[in-house]
Amino acid sequence: MRYLSTRGRAPALPFCDILLAGLAPDGGLYLPESYPRISREELARWRELSYADLAFAIFSKYMDDIPPADLKALVDKTYTRDTYRFARQPERAGEITPLVWLVPGKLGVLELSNGPTLAFKDMAMQLLGHLFQYVLEKRDDSINILGATSGDTGSAAEYAMRGKRRVNVFMLSPKGKMSDFQRAQMYSLQDANIYNIAVSGMFDDAQDMVKAISNDAAFKAKYKIGAVNSINWARVLAQIVYYFKGYFAATRHDEEQVTFAVPSGNFGNICAGHIARQMGLPISRLILATNENDVLDEFFRTGRYRPRSAKETFVTSSPSMDISKASNFERFIFDLTGRDANKVRDLWQQIEKKQAFDLSGTSSFKRLREFAFVSGKSLHQDRIATIRMAHERYGIVLDPHTADGLKVALEVAGDGADTNPVIVLETAQAAKFSATLEEALGHKPSRPAELEGLETRPQKVISMAADIDAIKDFIAARVPA
Ligand SMILES: *Cc1c(COP(=O)(O)O)cnc(C)c1O
């Protein structure tokens, strides 16, 4: 399997060569040259597999430059009961992503946030940690991951990379802007290869500094600077597995279809659902839910894609979806335009010039139906009302992002009215967002016993001014050039 760029002007490469690459050299995103189609026989066999074995079966089609025995070992190390141990019902932790029915056979929640940081990003990031170490070991190389986080991504990356050989993580976070829980989660890590840097300013300022440092080609090469952001293909690939797993959990035979509802920001999670469907998984519909930052809902309703500026981006109570440009969206548009790289280049040039493109009335827009996407949005009051309703009606405590997903799922599919089961992807646990949960339910959410007192553990973090040169010096002093 080789990977090509959505902009069509980069050489096609095998998996291990794009794993550490980020953007393709032409500015596009990597995608496999085609999606392997899964036969009905194969699907029937996969139904019986454990999570790790299913992941191995799927990855084998995409990572054919890793020897099968090595890949099997990587996958077995990643998807363990111990890593994903924070299931609602601990006895089900071995399922890795347990499905919880709210209305039996009709409406369910797929738990994806049982990993170390209680958000679904662990599903992919844990794999990335093992993959990075494996490939760097083979190539006798190393990497220094530089990132900025407003919460979930940074902690997922740190928990995946902690203690890994040949990897350091330098993570910038906006000082005083994350929840106490999120801060404690990251800063309490004492591993020597993890560097938490709290910088003054907002998340966007931190993000801009990361961009500026990564754009310094000489510095980047000298200090082997890399990233683990949501455009990384291996992250999307890892997420394909749980769509299969969720489908099998919700159905008895492969004639049945399932609808998935996905709380979305950078379009990484639902992009994996789209690819699972292209592989032949019987997905009836993909319901995309946004919060107040509705750039994707606007596109799916109107055909117009208008990324917002940082100033136009709202700070909401489902903060991990406060996204103004959906960085994975280009992958979907590539498929939507019939994999026409010239068209994709043209559309992203239009974004540069006119801050938007419009596909309404085009054949591409008509294909949206074929691709089974529907969308909706959820606002703060909806989120609060949905958390309350789910607690009262179904006895389940949802986090604000998953509540957005459920709100839109019920709006689009109706409570049990869709003839196919509707599965809402749970993207975080409520414990991470106690202020919003308290507003909705009048009390703080419970958390796994192991994480009691997290906020009182010693923290390892350095405070710095928003100064690019100071951050470069900090990295240079800790990394052999
Ligand atoms: C990252 C994240 C999302 C958005 O996922 P995308 O892949 O960016 O669409 C939703 N909810 C939570 C809790 C997240 O951490």
Side-chain angles (χ1 to χ4, degrees), residues 179-381:
S179 74
D180 290 347
F181 184 94
Q182 287 178 316
R183 218 173 10 241
Q185 228 180 5
M186 290 178 57
Y187 299 172
S188 64
L189 290 181
Q190 302 294 331
D191 305 77
N193 70 330
I194 304 294
Y195 298 97
N196 285 304
I197 306 174
V199 288
S200 35
M202 300 295 288
F203 166 70
D204 287 304
D205 303 314
Q207 179 82 355
D208 286 346
M209 285 194 290
V210 168
K211 279 191 195 141
I213 296 170
S214 304
N215 285 340
D216 178 342
F219 185 86
K220 188 176 176 198
K222 186 169 177 192
Y223 294 104
K224 301 180 193 284
I225 302 294
V228 288
N229 41 28
S230 74
I231 57 148
N232 184 289
W233 162 251
R235 283 182 61 182
V236 177
L237 173 55
Q239 293 168 178
I240 294 173
V241 180
Y242 54 69
Y243 284 89
F244 280 86
K245 199 71 192 157
Y247 171 80
F248 294 136
T251 58
R252 265 181 240 109
H253 56 80
D254 304 330
E255 304 305 315
E256 294 175 71
Q257 299 217 329
V258 163
T259 287
F260 287 99
V262 189
S264 294
N266 269 319
F267 205 81
N269 197 351
I270 203 164
C271 188
H274 159 68
I275 294 172
R277 191 170 179 276
Q278 296 301 306
M279 291 171 70
L281 187 67
I283 294 177
S284 160
R285 289 192 291 179
L286 287 163
I287 301 175
L288 179 144
T290 71
N291 64 14
E292 287 84 343
N293 297 293
D294 60 354
V295 49
L296 289 171
D297 180 44
E298 181 176 288
F299 172 78
F300 284 99
R301 281 186 297 103
T302 69
R304 190 172 143 81
Y305 180 59
R306 186 177 66 85
R308 319 287 200 253
S309 67
K311 268 209 264 15
E312 290 174 289
T313 307
F314 304 105
V315 176
T316 76
S317 47
S318 45
S320 300
M321 291 155 64
D322 292 348
I323 302 291
S324 41
K325 285 188 209 73
S327 54
N328 272 293
F329 192 53
E330 185 168 334
R331 289 195 161 105
F332 178 71
I333 294 295
F334 184 67
D335 286 347
L336 191 67
T337 57
R339 303 201 129 206
D340 182 346
N342 293 330
K343 183 73 195 170
V344 170
R345 269 204 316 280
D346 171 56
L347 292 173
W348 260 261
Q349 262 161 21
Q350 288 184 36
I351 295 179
E352 293 280 304
K353 286 201 212 100
K354 304 186 293 187
Q355 286 77 51
F357 64 70
D358 192 348
L359 294 180
S360 60
T362 67
S363 57
S364 293
F365 192 59
K366 295 200 187 83
R367 290 190 82 187
L368 277 183
R369 197 178 294 270
E370 196 184 303
F371 282 178
F373 270 78
V374 267
S375 76
K377 73 171 165 178
S378 164
L379 310 178
H380 179 77
Q381 283 318 319

Side-chain angles (χ1 to χ4, degrees), residues 152-168:
D152 295 335
T153 309
S155 54
E158 292 188 355
Y159 279 76
M161 303 296 166
R162 62 187 295 202
K164 294 280 188 294
R165 292 180 299 278
R166 299 167 180 273
V167 182
N168 290 310

